[in-house]
Amino acid sequence: VRGRKNLLHLDFSGRLRSVRKVGGQTLAEIASQAGLAGNSVVLYLESGKRAARLNTVEKLAYALGVAPAYLAYGLDGHCSSPAALQAAGVGARLQQARLERGLSVLALAKRASAYSEARGMKPGPTHTAVANIERGGTMPTIATVETLANVLGLSPAWLAYGTGPQTFHRGAGLLRPLRCSDCRGLCKHRPVRPARPQLDDSAGCWTGTGIVQ
């Protein structure tokens, strides 16, 4: 389907499985470290049988030692765990971007619907869903956030987790070593084979590649 293959979130399951296996961690270990209820959650996410919500992806990312932006979208970002989940601010960031563009909730929802339909995707978020996200009543999936980000001309990493530049140009942050802003020069950031992240023990965070196929 035209445009669909370029969506960044589609490689989430593969990134999750790859990082976990390279780190030698079991499903149960990751679920426990991320504070999730049972390893079946991770199993379903790795198999693509469960929609990945922003907060769940963020918890998994910190448990794995990678940036949430990398795990969700293959983009650069922070890999250190903050005091509060960055996903909690998605509603405020969405409302800010929408108002800056002079769009109503209904207008944004219509654009998201048209965007999704043109690419043969599942229907985009309704105006009720958009309003709920902005109010903090609903935690969106990484797919929904990417749709909204593309419609608004935003980086999905910024909209989801408030990391990186607000705007996004395809190719920026991709096809190069993943750099963690918190490493302060400790990570060597060696180029590695595509989709094979490596753990730098000196810094305690992953320095893999953010390649999107």
Side-chain angles (χ1 to χ4, degrees), residues 63-134:
L64 291 163
V66 299
Y70 169 73
L71 192 58
Y73 304 112
L75 298 172
D76 291 359
H78 300 271
C79 70
S80 62
S81 178
L85 292 180
Q86 298 302 304
V90 63
R93 289 187 290 272
L94 176 59
Q95 184 179 59
Q96 172 194 331
R98 176 179 63 77
L99 293 176
E100 287 176 348
R101 288 155 180 76
L103 294 173
S104 67
V105 169
L106 182 59
L108 176 56
K110 286 183 176 180
R111 292 192 182 191
S113 178
Y115 175 91
S116 299
E117 182 178 355
R119 288 159 180 76
M121 299 159 52
K122 293 181 179 180
T126 64
H127 70 281
T128 300
V130 172
N132 283 337
I133 293 172
E134 290 190 355

Side-chain angles (χ1 to χ4, degrees), residues 70 73-76 168-179 209-212:
Y70 169 73
Y73 304 112
L75 298 172
D76 291 359
F168 175 67
H169 300 286
R170 185 162 294 279
L174 303 177
L175 303 176
R176 58 193 175 92
L178 178 68
R179 296 180 182 273
T209 56
I211 288 182
V212 174

Side-chain angles (χ1 to χ4, degrees), residues 130-165:
V130 172
N132 283 337
I133 293 172
E134 290 190 355
R135 288 198 301 265
T138 300
M139 181 58 65
T141 65
I142 58 175
T144 294
V145 168
E146 186 170 5
T147 293
L148 291 170
N150 287 337
V151 169
L152 292 168
L154 300 170
S155 161
W158 180 85
L159 184 56
Y161 303 112
T163 186

Side-chain angles (χ1 to χ4, degrees), residues 177 188-193 198 207 209:
K188 297 178 181 178
H189 295 110
R190 300 183 300 274
V192 296
R193 295 180 61 186
Q198 295 181 346
T207 59
T209 56

